[in-house]
Amino acid sequence: MKLLSCSLLVLGAYVFGITACTAAEIPGIVKEAPAGVRSVKIAEGYMVPYTVKMADGVSFEMIPIPGGKFKLGSPDSEKDRKDDEGPQVEVEIAPFWLGKCEVTWAEYKQWMKYEQTFKMPDGKTTAAADEKNKVDAVTAPSALYDPTYTYEHGEDPKLPAATMSQFAARQYTKWLTKKTGQFFRLPNEAEWEYACRAGTTTAYSFGDDLKQLDDYAWTAANSEEKPHFVGTKKPNPWGLHDMHGNMMEWTLDAHTKDGYKRLAEGKPGVGFALTNWPTELFPRVLRGGTFEFDPELARSAARKASNDEKWYNEDPNRPKSPWWLTDDPARGVGMRVLRPLTVPDAAALPKLWEVDNETTQAGVTERLEQGRGSQGVILTPGK
């Protein structure tokens, strides 16, 4: 693991040309703690909130999350607790930044519309270059299905992006990394719950009183059966919006019915090492509840297992789309991005970003052969 600096960063075959600068000039890190701004003390200075700028005036905010220990899962005494939320186990989390809000359509469509092409310096290809292209390639999805057919809530730029597959969510973080020169990925569910709880041990980050939930979350109780603009409800104690409700958010993990037994019985490691890597298309873990779910499913410890087989049942394609889900509750599937303080080793990058099952691979291959979606490499951040 290494600190993500502004010097030339080489992660295996992933190369980013970034102007050299000091640790204190890294986005989100300053030398002195600013007055009136929540910051996290680290060896290099202070992690602070910062803004990531995209094209067309689109931007999003990243919030610093301190490292620390907490109990993952819910206690047996918690109301509405499910068996897969235990056994509770104490884990350690490394510092990171997390998106202040869920990824919006304005952000996600920057990736969707990107015309990716393979760029070779001299217009020629070699075996080595072809192999590098395969490693560096980013796939972008085809257009969203006809809204009158699968997704009727619109694509307002301030609404959270929705119905993407976990593969699409991971490819988005790869694209975002290459476009910005900053390293992004999905959170694993331990990191997600740690950020959601924000130091609390109650069912929700604001406590146990459901009378307060309307102030913090869009659920079936108040959403009028539709998603809402991000950031319109109160944030949790660490400044994160919509951790409860609005969209359930993809994590890196496979879902297991025995919950955290593997962590309780072993040596779980820290932060990123806690990930339960999937080997099958589903089930995978989503967190946070949705605008369509009852309030108890928006609890900090609540988990939702994906079921892609049912969630894209209405997809007329064969094989199914690797990028879009079509059926409820997929209208409530969204994402949030994480930027770690340290970058994982190059060996971990395929797990974070690439195809990890035969079903998705078949879908990607066929769509690209049909000219739906695109694939290419981004050699220079900002281009």
Side-chain angles (χ1 to χ4, degrees), residues 230-275:
V230 301
T232 55
K233 291 293 187 179
K234 289 182 179 180
N236 75 358
W238 285 348
L240 302 169
H241 292 266
D242 300 314
M243 296 298 284
H244 305 296
N246 214 21
M247 288 287 140
M248 55 179 165
E249 302 170 13
W250 281 117
T251 70
L252 292 171
D253 296 73
H255 179 274
T256 53
K257 293 181 179 179
D258 58 0
Y260 310 115
K261 183 179 179 181
R262 67 181 179 87
L263 296 178
E265 294 178 346
K267 296 180 180 179
V270 178
F272 181 65
L274 300 170
T275 308

Side-chain angles (χ1 to χ4, degrees), residues 315-353:
D315 186 344
N317 297 285
R318 294 295 182 274
K320 305 290 188 179
S321 171
W323 297 303
W324 299 110
L325 304 170
T326 57
D327 296 62
D328 278 338
R331 292 188 304 173
V333 169
M335 65 178 294
R336 190 182 303 254
V337 297
L338 178 149
R339 177 189 157 202
L341 179 62
T342 53
V343 176
D345 295 332
L349 299 183
K351 289 184 177 181
L352 287 170
W353 290 337

Side-chain angles (χ1 to χ4, degrees), residues 206 242 300:
F206 55 82
D242 300 314
S300 297

Side-chain angles (χ1 to χ4, degrees), residues 60-372:
F60 61 93
E61 294 183 65
M62 298 295 290
I63 302 297
I65 306 298
K69 295 181 179 181
F70 86 114
K71 284 190 175 181
L72 174 66
S74 60
D76 293 341
S77 59
E78 186 166 301
K79 184 180 178 182
D80 299 313
R81 179 187 189 271
K82 306 297 182 183
D83 290 343
D84 67 349
E85 295 171 24
Q88 271 194 304
V89 56
E90 185 175 80
V91 296
E92 185 175 357
I93 304 297
F96 58 88
W97 290 267
L98 193 65
K100 181 178 181 179
C101 297
E102 293 157 337
V103 172
T104 63
W105 280 121
E107 298 158 41
Y108 202 71
K109 285 193 172 185
Q110 293 286 315
W111 174 50
M112 288 176 63
K113 74 179 184 181
Y114 187 68
E115 296 181 358
Q116 296 162 331
T117 56
F118 288 100
K119 300 177 181 178
M120 303 304 297
D122 57 3
K124 300 178 181 180
T125 62
T126 64
D130 287 341
E131 184 60 32
K132 184 181 186 305
N133 282 344
K134 292 178 184 178
V135 174
D136 282 353
V138 178
T139 62
S142 54
L144 186 66
Y145 288 118
D146 181 354
T148 62
Y149 180 56
T150 60
Y151 187 72
E152 73 275 28
H153 296 308
E155 303 165 54
D156 188 287
K158 295 181 182 179
L159 282 174
T163 74
M164 77 285 289
S165 67
Q166 198 230 33
F167 168 68
R170 289 187 290 117
Q171 281 282 294
Y172 174 79
T173 64
K174 179 180 181 180
W175 172 83
L176 188 62
T177 296
K178 290 185 171 289
K179 285 296 288 183
T180 65
Q182 301 173 38
F183 189 89
F184 291 97
R185 61 174 172 85
L186 293 178
N188 63 32
E189 63 172 329
E191 293 166 328
W192 191 98
E193 184 175 322
Y194 178 73
C196 179
R197 288 188 177 280
T200 67
T201 58
T202 47
Y204 304 88
S205 63
F206 55 82
D208 292 315
D209 185 5
L210 275 179
K211 293 180 181 179
Q212 298 182 53
L213 186 60
D214 279 359
D215 292 334
Y216 293 86
W218 295 109
T219 68
N222 64 353
S223 71
E224 299 181 344
E225 300 183 350
K226 61 183 180 181
H228 292 261
F229 290 175
V230 301
T232 55
K233 291 293 187 179
K234 289 182 179 180
N236 75 358
W238 285 348
L240 302 169
H241 292 266
D242 300 314
M243 296 298 284
H244 305 296
N246 214 21
M247 288 287 140
M248 55 179 165
E249 302 170 13
W250 281 117
T251 70
L252 292 171
D253 296 73
H255 179 274
T256 53
K257 293 181 179 179
D258 58 0
Y260 310 115
K261 183 179 179 181
R262 67 181 179 87
L263 296 178
E265 294 178 346
K267 296 180 180 179
V270 178
F272 181 65
L274 300 170
T275 308
N276 185 22
W277 296 106
T279 58
E280 304 291 340
L281 177 60
F282 67 92
R284 304 187 183 207
V285 179
L286 295 116
R287 289 302 204 105
T290 81
F291 65 92
E292 295 181 298
F293 286 178
D294 291 333
E296 61 267 21
L297 294 177
R299 291 175 298 111
S300 297
R303 309 169 77 207
K304 179 66 177 177
S306 68
N307 187 340
D308 295 52
E309 192 169 82
K310 292 183 178 180
W311 290 8
Y312 54 25
N313 185 58
E314 294 296 323
D315 186 344
N317 297 285
R318 294 295 182 274
K320 305 290 188 179
S321 171
W323 297 303
W324 299 110
L325 304 170
T326 57
D327 296 62
D328 278 338
R331 292 188 304 173
V333 169
M335 65 178 294
R336 190 182 303 254
V337 297
L338 178 149
R339 177 189 157 202
L341 179 62
T342 53
V343 176
D345 295 332
L349 299 183
K351 289 184 177 181
L352 287 170
W353 290 337
E354 308 305 345
V355 173
D356 58 12
N357 65 90
E358 293 181 358
T359 302
T360 298
Q361 184 60 69
V364 170
T365 300
E366 183 162 316
R367 291 304 179 281
L368 294 177
E369 289 176 349
Q370 295 169 349
R372 290 191 286 175

